[in-house]
Amino acid sequence: MRWVLAALLILCVCAGFIKWPVSAAPDIFTDVTAQAGIRWRHVSGEESSERYLVETMGGGVAFLDFDRDGLPDLFFVTGGETPKSPHSAPPNNALYRNKGNGTFEDVTAKAGLERLPFYGMGVAAADFDNDGYPDLFITGYPACALFHNNRDGTFTDITEKAGVKNSGKWAAGAAWIDYDRDGRLDLFICNYAKFSYSDIHRCEFNGLRTYCAQTAYEGEPPTLYHNNGDGTFTDVTAQAGLAKLVGRALDAVSIDVDDDGWPDIFVARDASPNLLLINQRNGTFVDAALDAEVALTADGMARAGMGVDAGDITGEGRPDFFVTNFNDEQHALFLNKGAFPFQEWTRESGLAALTRSFVGWGAHFLDFDNDGTLDLVFVNGHLNPVIEKTRLDVHYEEPPMLLANNGKGVFRDMKESAGPVFRSRYLGRGLAVGDYDNDGGTDVVFARLNDAPVLLHNNVGREKAWIGVELQGTKSNREAIGAKLTLTAGGRKLTRWITSGTSYLSSHDHRVIFGLGDPPSGPVRLDIRWPNGNEQTVSGLKLNQYQKVVE
């Protein structure tokens, strides 16, 4: 009788009459914004009747441990008021202190970071004076600001003394880079376009006032400030050979492109050729973007480059580049083959089909599942509300995207398992990554135009083996921006860099997470090339925790 009952049971299960409970896999990311206590909202001044282009593009965000308690905090940059866009209260930035229990505390007022005397755009966080605490450089129009970290929870505006106001210019992204390897971080600023509230550009669609195209505005060259080591900077744009590079720059990433030990700069530019600035090791740069075939499309057209990031997506130990663009242009991927030209891999990677309808902004390579392969996350969102009156396939609000890398630079859309945020639409702008709860999973935050940001907790990274590394420079700059790290474990080599700039208007946790998949069976070795060129090898690193390595 028992075998008859067992046979019937098997028959019922196979026929689908009995459904055993199945535990669903967790979403890769969970939106924890509300429970984290983040209530700040970005303000663009979009209520203006004049439709100033600056209103469409802001929203920077930074992960930084401003109080050095080992817990990454969050800083958000607001836009501000434009003429004819009054608000009941002045728009403010926001600094949130990580309390270590999954929640954040708004400490903006105490820190002295609430207000800006200009329209805010982005943020670059780094320890420019090597005192052990990260400082904040905030970009905008018609000026920028440098806030020194006083190491007591407060910041002081030292812009005038430092000489980095960048007066009269519309600055977008910025990157800290020790371009002369003297151990002090210098500052590269992406200037967007010649702009003035008094020089009004009028554009209409079916009689409705709308924003003009970026090509209505003349571009500007970037600015490079040299760190003098005494709290002041010198404008060396002309001496560095950058003054002639006029174009609409939006963001940059500083990284050693040619592996000569000196940091270079990739600049994403809007309806202007991208730049690939190769460090000549004498205080000057040469643009090699045309030779590298990253400046233009194969048809010789400049795309609308907004966000940019660099990382080794194929495991060859060289930095590849990803650039977000406008709808119909596709977000672009360039593979570094060790010599010029680079190989455009946009179609082969799947990005051409996945991104054709989107306007992209913040982006970052990350290993979301810690399998050792860099994946990709980016946010989208259109500039102009009237787009939906002209196109059925392009929307004003657009979904962010999480793409899994198969290890060969081919990507798969993870929207079905990534979480509800990746199946929703937003006006995404800046994006930053960092591990705010120190569990080894890379978390993500992104800013939204005229709305609250979104903080995403990574639910899956901690399930795999990982090693976290924080570098501290002594002869090199304190945060080791510009360092190259190569981890050898279990027969694999993983290469990462500590970069600055990247994404769009945003700044990231400077710690490095090496995802390992399964725990390695053999020894683990970390080879570091510090920003000043010195080399160091470290062994005995422990799994599933962060460790500090001092130069």
Side-chain angles (χ1 to χ4, degrees):
M1 180 60 69
R2 288 180 180 175
W3 70 267
V4 174
L5 292 174
L8 288 173
L9 181 60
I10 293 171
L11 181 62
C12 289
V13 170
C14 293
F17 297 130
I18 296 177
K19 302 292 186 183
W20 298 113
V22 177
S23 58
D27 290 330
I28 297 170
F29 286 99
T30 299
D31 181 353
V32 296
T33 314
Q35 67 192 65
I38 297 173
R39 298 179 177 84
W40 173 86
R41 295 173 69 89
H42 176 267
V43 173
S44 78
E46 193 179 29
E47 295 85 353
S48 163
S49 60
E50 298 298 341
R51 291 293 187 257
Y52 298 106
L53 187 62
V54 72
E55 298 167 350
T56 68
M57 301 174 69
V61 56
F63 269 114
L64 76 160
D65 184 5
F66 80 92
D67 53 1
R68 299 302 295 159
D69 64 353
L71 298 168
D73 311 298
L74 287 167
F75 179 73
F76 300 97
V77 181
T78 194
E81 293 178 316
T82 55
K84 302 183 182 179
S85 67
H87 291 80
S88 57
N92 64 279
N93 306 308
L95 177 65
Y96 282 95
R97 186 181 70 85
N98 188 339
K99 297 169 68 175
N101 59 0
T103 68
F104 290 77
E105 174 189 6
D106 188 338
V107 295
T108 319
K110 176 186 175 184
L113 294 170
E114 279 190 304
R115 307 276 186 262
L116 298 172
F118 54 85
Y119 189 96
M121 288 287 292
V123 56
D127 181 7
F128 81 87
D129 57 355
N130 293 328
D131 68 353
Y133 283 72
D135 310 294
L136 289 171
F137 183 74
I138 303 176
T139 63
Y141 168 79
C144 297
L146 178 60
F147 287 89
H148 179 258
N149 189 330
N150 299 322
R151 299 182 287 179
D152 61 0
T154 68
F155 290 76
T156 298
D157 185 346
I158 62 167
T159 311
E160 295 290 349
K161 176 189 174 184
V164 291
K165 192 173 183 179
N166 202 41
S167 186
K169 297 179 180 178
W170 176 0
W176 293 98
I177 171 175
D178 183 8
Y179 74 91
D180 55 356
R181 302 203 324 185
D182 65 356
R184 299 187 294 265
L185 288 172
D186 312 298
L187 183 59
F188 180 89
I189 303 173
C190 298
N191 296 314
Y192 184 58
K194 295 184 184 300
F195 176 83
S196 170
Y197 291 132
S198 60
D199 181 17
I200 299 173
H201 292 62
R202 298 188 66 89
C203 295
E204 294 184 350
F205 174 78
N206 288 345
L208 297 175
R209 189 69 182 273
T210 187
Y211 294 103
C212 295
Q214 76 280 59
T215 49
Y217 302 83
E218 183 183 349
E220 290 261 37
T223 302
L224 180 63
Y225 286 112
H226 177 262
N227 186 338
N228 300 321
D230 58 0
T232 69
F233 292 75
T234 299
D235 187 340
V236 294
T237 308
Q239 298 95 305
L242 304 177
K244 63 182 180 294
L245 301 177
V246 175
R248 289 169 287 267
L250 280 174
D251 222 306
V253 55
S254 63
I255 196 167
D256 183 4
V257 174
D258 52 6
D259 204 32
D260 66 351
W262 291 73
D264 311 299
I265 309 172
F266 189 111
V267 185
R269 302 205 298 180
D270 187 5
S272 306
N274 296 326
L275 303 175
L276 184 61
L277 303 176
I278 302 301
N279 193 328
Q280 300 300 292
R281 299 182 281 182
N282 60 4
T284 68
F285 291 84
V286 170
D287 178 24
L290 287 174
D291 290 340
E293 297 185 3
V294 298
L296 306 165
T297 67
D299 297 326
M301 302 296 293
R303 286 179 274 211
M306 267 82 87
V308 60
D309 195 25
D312 177 16
I313 67 164
T314 57
E316 297 177 340
R318 296 183 290 266
D320 309 302
F321 292 93
F322 174 71
V323 183
T324 55
N325 296 303
F326 212 73
N327 60 265
D328 301 326
E329 294 179 342
Q330 305 142 15
H331 302 352
L333 182 63
F334 301 101
L335 297 185
N336 184 345
K337 308 307 290 184
F340 294 161
F342 283 25
Q343 180 179 6
E344 177 155 357
W345 195 246
T346 305
R347 178 178 296 179
E348 293 84 349
S349 67
L351 284 165
L354 289 168
T355 65
R356 184 172 289 112
S357 299
F358 298 138
V359 176
W361 302 89
H364 207 68
F365 289 116
L366 79 171
D367 184 1
F368 72 83
D369 54 0
N370 278 339
D371 66 353
T373 300
L374 288 180
D375 310 299
L376 183 59
V377 63
F378 53 90
V379 291
N380 304 296
H382 214 277
L383 285 144
N384 225 321
V386 301
I387 188 63
E388 295 186 358
K389 298 180 183 295
T390 65
R391 297 279 295 266
L392 296 177
D393 61 327
V394 179
H395 299 278
Y396 183 46
E397 296 183 336
E398 299 174 336
M401 300 192 79
L402 178 69
L403 306 182
N405 179 5
N406 71 351
K408 300 179 181 179
V410 178
F411 292 94
R412 176 168 56 96
D413 189 354
M414 301 298 292
K415 68 179 179 180
E416 296 305 323
S417 56
V421 164
F422 293 88
R423 299 187 292 274
S424 304
R425 294 177 182 172
Y426 306 92
L427 293 178
R429 291 299 185 262
L431 176 147
V433 305
D435 182 8
Y436 75 84
D437 56 354
N438 292 331
D439 68 349
T442 303
D443 308 306
V444 176
V445 63
F446 65 88
R448 295 192 283 166
L449 196 68
N450 291 314
D451 213 330
V454 176
L455 177 62
L456 297 171
H457 178 261
N458 185 326
N459 301 315
V460 303
R462 62 190 176 212
E463 296 175 358
K464 300 286 182 66
W466 59 278
I467 290 175
V469 178
E470 178 183 2
L471 297 188
Q472 180 180 315
T474 53
K475 297 178 181 178
S476 299
N477 69 85
R478 176 97 179 196
E479 290 188 300
I481 292 173
K484 177 183 179 181
L485 301 86
T486 304
L487 187 85
T488 303
R492 298 177 70 183
K493 275 192 175 183
L494 304 177
T495 305
R496 304 289 185 262
W497 295 261
I498 299 180
T499 61
S500 182
T502 86
S503 188
Y504 176 74
L505 306 181
S506 299
S507 194
H508 313 279
D509 188 346
H510 287 143
R511 298 176 300 176
V512 176
I513 299 174
F514 289 94
L516 301 175
D518 296 327
S521 56
V524 175
R525 187 183 80 243
L526 177 65
D527 294 304
I528 303 167
R529 186 169 67 198
W530 292 89
N532 62 8
N534 291 339
E535 297 186 355
Q536 182 175 347
T537 297
V538 179
S539 58
L541 295 172
K542 298 179 181 178
L543 293 181
N544 303 330
Q545 65 184 66
Y546 288 97
Q547 39 247 297
K548 179 180 287 188
V549 178
V550 179
E551 182 182 14

